Amino acid sequence: MAKYLIVLFLLFLPVEINALTAEEIVRKSQEAFLYQGGDFKARVLMKLITKGGKERIREMTMLRKNYGPLGGEQKYFIYFFRPADVRKMAFMVYKYPKRDDDRWLFIPALNMVKRIAARDKTSSFVGSDFTYEDVSGRDLEDDTHTILKEERFNGKECYVIKSTPKAGDVNYSYKLSWIDKEHFLPLKEEYYNLKGELMKVFTADEIKAIEGFPTVVKRTMKNVQSGHRTEVTFIKIDYEVGIKDSLFSERSLRRPRKKWIE
Amino acid sequence: MINTLKKSVFLLATSLLFLGISSIACAGELFFNGFVQGNYSANLETSNPNGDDFKWAEEKVQIKIGGDKDPFYLFLKIDLSYDHLDDETDLELREGYIDYLSESWDLRVGRQIITWGVGDLIFINDIFPKDYEAFFSGRPLEYLKIGSDAVKIGIYPRFISAELVIIPFFESNNSPKRGRFWMFDPMPHITNRHEEEPITNLGNTELALRIYRNLIDYDVSLYFYKGFFRQSSMLPNNIPSPTKITLFYPELSVYGASLQGRVMNGIISFEVGYYDSRQDRKGTDSMIPNSQTRFLIGYQRQLWEDFTIGLQYYGAYMHDYSEYETNLPEGFPKEKRFHDLMTIRLTQLLRHQTLKVSFFSFWGLSEGDYMIIPEVKYNFSDHIWAALGANIFGGGEEWSQFGSLDKNDIIYTIIRYEF
């Protein structure tokens, strides 16, 4: 009898009980932002801009393939076209959800492949305002997530999530994310330093549906304290391109097939 | 004879590459870039033996031309340089090769730079030619490697990868020149010297093989080499009172392995090689190096943002040491049975990785000598960078690896415009 009462009670509860928890929102957001499609290929233009407006440009092809369930292992392959001194340089990451990634770099002038020790959490990606973790994502379990509020941002209904790192393994104390309720992509993220001051701001500047997947095609990370910012534009994007496992190999680092990098 | 042959092969290869590149160029798949560079290093301690105050003073233009047309790829890297010390203009083909790529194998034919092994400036299974004069002269690191005129075949079945390198033309290491560098010489008064490179024939063709795969998150490689020592040995014509020295390259085989992977938030490296000195297996010929076992253990890790530390320990154990001791002629410096050294590398990147401050050092544990390389490099823009550094040698004995270079301290600068 008690069982039936509970079921009855549940049926009459307001819809709120079916609402997502903060963890579920962040998980959906990561899926939408970092795991979309089984694999992914893009030509990426990265502008590193100083406070004074001086620009440096990195141009690369980025390939990504998911292994296992969403939120699981991924492999990345990045090939550089510009600037001239890093042309043909290639970079490969095996990303693991619960431990540091494995990373390899190919240095063309020496024809040498080497592993690199830089840690994901605090290292800048090629001198930009993005860390490696900003590029490939942070483990869901590394932070405590809470829903601060729900509000409109740029005319979109958003969840505002506060994510506080459980360990002091990063150089910020917490992050606020504005996550679009419709497609769960982050529209804005604010990083606060250990003193509680605003440090870095991420914005999704343009979102387009590519082959049915809503995709952030333009994004900016700005260091509000130094004034330095990095603008990233995805020029050519393809999902489900059928990337073979053999791409993520030392052989490809040294000499990738043209069809994958062009 | 060999040089003539090499030159004609070079010319032929270059013309073929140009032909290939122009045909690819017509298909619009060409790329072209390079740099202009000034590179100068001044003595800090004393003039060179020949009186110059510089170890290097050179302007250089490098042109890289490549063409990509699946499954072929062509690449040429040519240096045109002017050397102020010898007042010479030099044209050098640094690399020039053609690739053929297929799904499960590939081929590279021509002059190519090959780098194997997991050491940081320590080479055990990388038996390809090196330019130590470039390294000690404060030239950019890429000039430490010399291209091999070789055929490389890569085979990539699912479970393993393999690379076989066939080198028909022997290329020795480039050692520091006696006019520019102060060095130890056990027989300084004998100036009648001539070099004998291995003749080019089928039996002398060098073979290098590397088999590798990822095994439980570690990169594991096995190596094999059959060829020659690239550092020459001295053969005096008459030991008690020699009048002439022949510099020759004894036969060598190397069997080795390496392993690299992530441990304790860092990267651990391990490499070992057995140097089989085939012309002196008993160790009785004092003019030929004895067989050796060489190994290194390395660890690198990031300590804070954009700061990494790398440590290495290297050891070389000489086999048949008592035979070496017994047969060493009077007056020759005696090597130790076990030779070991440490290296320390510290790197800090600053200002969005445009400024790199680095420190590398060798510390000879058995010899008590050292080499220190501090360097600052700044990228003014995407096109212009400059570096300022120094090579400081000292300690040990006058014949030890770095101790012998004690009087060759330099300060160097490189400025490069990339296009």
Side-chain angles (χ1 to χ4, degrees):
Chain A
M1 186 63 199
K3 253 195 232 167
Y4 293 107
L5 274 178
I6 291 169
V7 172
L8 204 66
F9 175 70
L10 285 176
L11 279 173
F12 284 95
L13 267 181
V15 214
E16 291 307 310
I17 198 137
N18 293 324
L20 297 164
T21 65
E23 280 74 24
E24 286 165 340
I25 294 165
V26 176
R27 182 181 299 279
K28 276 176 165 288
S29 177
Q30 288 201 344
E31 286 172 9
F33 192 42
L34 301 159
Y35 283 85
Q36 203 74 278
D39 63 27
F40 162 86
K41 178 187 174 193
R43 182 84 163 216
V44 180
L45 199 66
M46 197 176 240
K47 278 189 192 169
L48 287 64
I49 307 163
T50 64
K51 195 180 179 180
K54 212 171 118 183
E55 283 186 6
R56 291 190 292 143
I57 291 175
R58 302 290 135 297
E59 189 176 349
M60 62 200 104
T61 288
M62 183 191 273
L63 299 119
R64 187 245 305 151
K65 184 171 181 178
N66 297 347
Y67 288 80
L70 294 176
E73 203 179 311
Q74 290 182 317
K75 290 179 181 175
Y76 285 82
F77 189 93
I78 298 167
Y79 178 89
F80 289 85
F81 295 94
R82 277 200 285 171
D85 65 331
V86 298
R87 197 194 154 83
K88 292 212 280 179
M89 188 172 93
F91 180 65
M92 183 168 76
V93 182
Y94 286 11
K95 179 183 153 52
Y96 310 107
K98 294 219 163 37
R99 56 191 165 108
D100 260 342
D101 306 341
D102 281 325
R103 286 206 286 264
W104 295 263
L105 183 69
F106 170 65
I107 302 162
L110 296 168
N111 191 13
M112 179 168 78
V113 170
K114 67 171 191 177
R115 278 196 184 236
I116 47 177
R119 314 224 31 208
D120 337 338
K121 298 179 196 302
T122 51
S123 297
S124 150
F125 178 73
V126 295
S128 73
D129 295 283
F130 291 89
T131 63
Y132 283 103
E133 208 172 59
D134 296 329
V135 177
S136 60
R138 184 167 162 83
D139 296 344
L140 188 68
E141 292 81 12
D142 281 355
D143 303 314
T144 313
H145 307 280
T146 50
I147 306 176
L148 274 193
K149 56 187 170 185
E150 293 171 27
E151 66 174 26
R152 283 180 87 82
F153 174 77
N154 280 354
K156 302 276 186 181
E157 283 298 330
C158 289
Y159 296 104
V160 183
I161 306 282
K162 180 178 180 178
S163 304
T164 312
K166 290 175 187 167
D169 56 350
V170 284
N171 51 12
Y172 61 89
S173 62
Y174 65 91
K175 175 175 89 173
L176 300 183
S177 313
W178 280 255
I179 295 172
D180 191 316
K181 285 188 177 181
E182 189 193 333
H183 47 53
F184 287 91
L185 288 172
L187 302 186
K188 178 164 95 153
E189 291 173 341
E190 293 180 346
Y191 294 79
Y192 290 84
N193 69 12
L194 304 175
K195 290 185 217 154
E197 301 159 344
L198 184 62
M199 190 176 88
K200 285 202 312 186
V201 179
F202 165 90
T203 47
D205 307 323
E206 191 181 339
I207 294 174
K208 266 190 198 166
I210 310 271
E211 295 158 21
F213 298 107
T215 307
V216 181
V217 295
K218 259 189 190 166
R219 65 193 72 192
T220 303
M221 183 72 91
K222 181 168 182 175
N223 184 323
V224 291
Q225 300 197 330
S226 70
H228 195 281
R229 70 179 195 276
T230 302
E231 296 177 2
V232 179
T233 311
F234 285 12
I235 300 169
K236 246 184 342 190
I237 305 171
D238 273 307
Y239 286 100
E240 315 282 13
V241 277
I243 299 173
K244 289 191 173 169
D245 293 344
S246 60
L247 173 74
F248 304 99
S249 64
E250 184 185 319
R251 178 193 187 195
S252 294
L253 277 174
R254 290 180 187 269
R255 184 83 206 93
R257 296 302 293 262
K258 195 180 159 202
K259 62 175 176 183
W260 292 120
I261 54 167
E262 66 181 359
Chain B
M1 169 65 194
I2 294 169
N3 276 336
T4 328
L5 181 62
K6 266 192 191 173
K7 266 182 199 151
S8 20
V9 171
F10 173 96
L11 278 175
L12 181 69
T14 318
S15 350
L16 281 175
L17 284 165
F18 265 119
L19 272 177
I21 283 172
S22 32
S23 67
I24 286 177
C26 297
E29 309 279 350
L30 191 78
F31 76 82
F32 174 90
N33 57 344
F35 61 73
V36 182
Q37 172 185 284
N39 185 186
Y40 315 93
S41 25
N43 289 313
L44 283 176
E45 206 167 312
T46 174
S47 301
N48 296 342
N50 64 10
D52 282 337
D53 285 323
F54 284 83
K55 288 267 185 284
W56 203 260
E58 177 199 73
E59 286 94 42
K60 181 188 283 291
V61 182
Q62 181 173 90
I63 309 268
K64 285 177 269 197
I65 308 168
D68 208 333
K69 196 171 191 301
D70 252 356
F72 292 101
Y73 173 76
L74 289 150
F75 182 64
L76 272 183
K77 189 195 273 185
I78 299 160
D79 279 12
L80 176 65
S81 44
Y82 183 75
D83 172 4
H84 290 272
L85 300 183
D86 290 344
D87 286 323
E88 267 178 11
T89 307
D90 186 39
L91 182 69
E92 186 194 2
L93 179 71
R94 289 280 304 161
E95 289 182 81
Y97 55 76
I98 178 163
D99 277 348
Y100 173 79
L101 289 116
S102 105
E103 210 50 56
S104 58
W105 65 280
D106 55 33
L107 189 69
R108 175 169 291 180
V109 182
R111 182 165 299 178
Q112 47 190 303
I113 287 172
I114 304 170
T115 306
W116 286 357
V118 295
D120 180 5
L121 295 180
I122 296 181
F123 305 101
I124 295 176
N125 291 295
D126 183 333
I127 39 59
F128 302 104
K130 318 276 184 314
D131 187 342
Y132 288 103
E133 183 181 54
F135 182 57
F136 295 139
S137 300
R139 300 180 64 192
L141 188 60
E142 65 210 67
Y143 288 93
L144 172 58
K145 301 284 297 187
I146 302 174
S148 301
D149 294 329
V151 175
K152 188 176 67 153
I153 304 157
I155 304 160
Y156 311 92
R158 274 175 170 263
F159 55 97
I160 212 146
S161 301
E163 284 174 356
L164 173 68
V165 184
I166 303 159
I167 312 171
F169 311 109
F170 177 81
E171 179 78 42
S172 66
N173 284 349
N174 187 29
S175 303
K177 298 284 173 300
R178 289 155 62 85
R180 285 197 193 176
F181 282 82
W182 297 95
M183 284 177 301
F184 175 74
D185 190 334
M187 291 174 276
H189 46 278
I190 305 164
T191 49
N192 181 6
R193 298 176 180 213
H194 91 114
E195 191 184 356
E196 247 176 35
E197 286 198 350
I199 49 169
T200 302
N201 62 29
L202 202 60
N204 281 349
T205 295
E206 299 166 64
L207 295 175
L209 175 69
R210 173 178 172 232
I211 299 173
Y212 62 99
R213 68 159 293 165
N214 193 273
L215 208 64
I216 340 169
D217 292 342
Y218 283 87
D219 303 326
V220 180
S221 299
L222 295 174
Y223 308 88
F224 167 71
Y225 171 70
K226 181 185 161 287
F228 303 88
F229 283 95
R230 293 198 195 275
Q231 211 64 42
S232 60
S233 287
M234 287 181 168
L235 184 67
N237 59 344
N238 176 3
I239 284 282
S241 50
T243 54
K244 184 185 161 194
I245 295 172
T246 306
L247 300 169
F248 72 109
Y249 299 88
E251 292 172 1
L252 170 73
S253 292
V254 182
Y255 306 85
S258 73
L259 186 147
Q260 194 172 51
R262 187 166 272 282
V263 168
M264 295 185 303
N265 293 324
I267 286 159
I268 196 149
S269 308
F270 179 72
E271 187 169 345
V272 64
Y274 175 71
Y275 275 53
D276 176 11
S277 182
R278 297 202 318 268
Q279 270 173 279
D280 184 26
R281 280 201 167 122
K282 288 188 182 131
T284 48
D285 189 335
S286 58
M287 295 299 128
I288 298 179
N290 280 17
S291 294
Q292 280 187 333
T293 300
R294 301 182 181 184
F295 67 93
L296 73 84
I297 300 163
Y299 180 68
Q300 54 156 322
R301 146 172 211 177
Q302 179 185 313
L303 292 187
W304 58 78
E305 185 174 352
D306 284 337
F307 178 83
T308 43
I309 178 166
L311 302 170
Q312 293 182 111
Y313 175 76
Y314 165 83
Y317 178 86
M318 190 197 292
H319 297 280
D320 308 307
Y321 190 73
S322 51
E323 281 79 0
Y324 165 76
E325 272 183 313
T326 318
N327 291 287
L328 190 69
E330 284 284 320
F332 272 67
K334 189 159 97 182
E335 284 178 47
K336 298 199 164 107
R337 185 197 296 258
F338 186 63
H339 166 80
D340 62 347
L341 60 82
M342 266 200 76
T343 73
I344 301 170
R345 180 185 288 282
L346 307 172
T347 311
Q348 173 79 61
L349 301 170
L350 297 156
R351 300 173 63 112
H352 290 275
Q353 300 184 0
T354 52
L355 178 63
K356 180 174 160 188
V357 182
S358 65
F359 172 90
F360 187 87
S361 55
F362 290 102
W363 299 97
L365 301 176
S366 53
E367 316 300 320
D369 56 354
Y370 58 84
M371 177 185 182
I372 302 171
I373 315 169
E375 191 187 87
V376 179
K377 182 185 174 204
Y378 184 64
N379 282 70
F380 292 92
S381 71
D382 276 346
H383 297 289
I384 300 174
W385 62 259
L388 182 69
N391 287 344
I392 312 287
F393 305 91
E397 305 287 348
E398 61 169 322
W399 59 80
S400 60
Q401 193 176 6
F402 304 112
S404 63
L405 293 162
D406 195 12
K407 287 162 83 180
N408 298 291
D409 294 357
I410 51 159
I411 181 164
Y412 63 83
T413 180
I414 305 159
I415 179 155
R416 185 183 282 188
Y417 172 80
E418 309 244 10
F419 57 86

